[in-house]
């Protein structure tokens, strides 16, 4: 359980760093994304979605433990 929480935070931090790193350090025009920028944004989005999924799994496990 602790390892799952750690992976969730790692994924969330990774998505945060990649997204803001892409926004701040790569001069990006939203109308014309090159392949690298689009890939970075897609990886950031996937990490964020996975971290939310892990959060939901942890919450469901905790609720099932307290209901017993």
């Amino acid at each position: 359980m602790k390892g799952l929480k750690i992976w969730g935070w790692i994924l969330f931090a990774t998505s945060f760093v990649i997204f803001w790193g892409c926004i701040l350090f790569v001069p990006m025009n939203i109308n014309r994304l090159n392949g690298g920028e689009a890939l970075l944004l897609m990886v950031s989005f996937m990490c964020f979605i996975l971290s939310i999924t892990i959060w939901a799994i942890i919450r469901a496990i905790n609720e099932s433990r307290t209901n017993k």
Side-chain angles (χ1 to χ4, degrees):
M1 185 72 148
K2 191 173 185 178
L4 194 61
K5 285 183 182 180
I6 291 171
W7 274 109
W9 280 110
I10 288 172
L11 285 169
F12 180 74
T14 302
S15 71
F16 186 78
V17 168
I18 290 174
F19 178 77
W20 286 108
C22 184
I23 296 296
L24 294 177
F25 298 117
V26 177
M28 183 172 69
N29 184 357
I30 198 68
N31 295 327
R32 295 182 190 176
L33 290 178
N34 67 18
E37 293 168 351
L39 182 66
L40 281 176
L41 289 175
M42 185 175 62
V43 168
S44 171
F45 182 70
M46 291 305 297
C47 287
F48 184 70
I49 295 297
L50 285 172
S51 69
I52 289 174
T53 304
I54 290 174
W55 171 77
I57 290 169
I58 291 171
R59 185 173 171 148
I61 290 171
N62 287 337
E63 285 184 9
S64 69
R65 285 185 182 175
T66 58
N67 289 337
K68 287 184 179 181

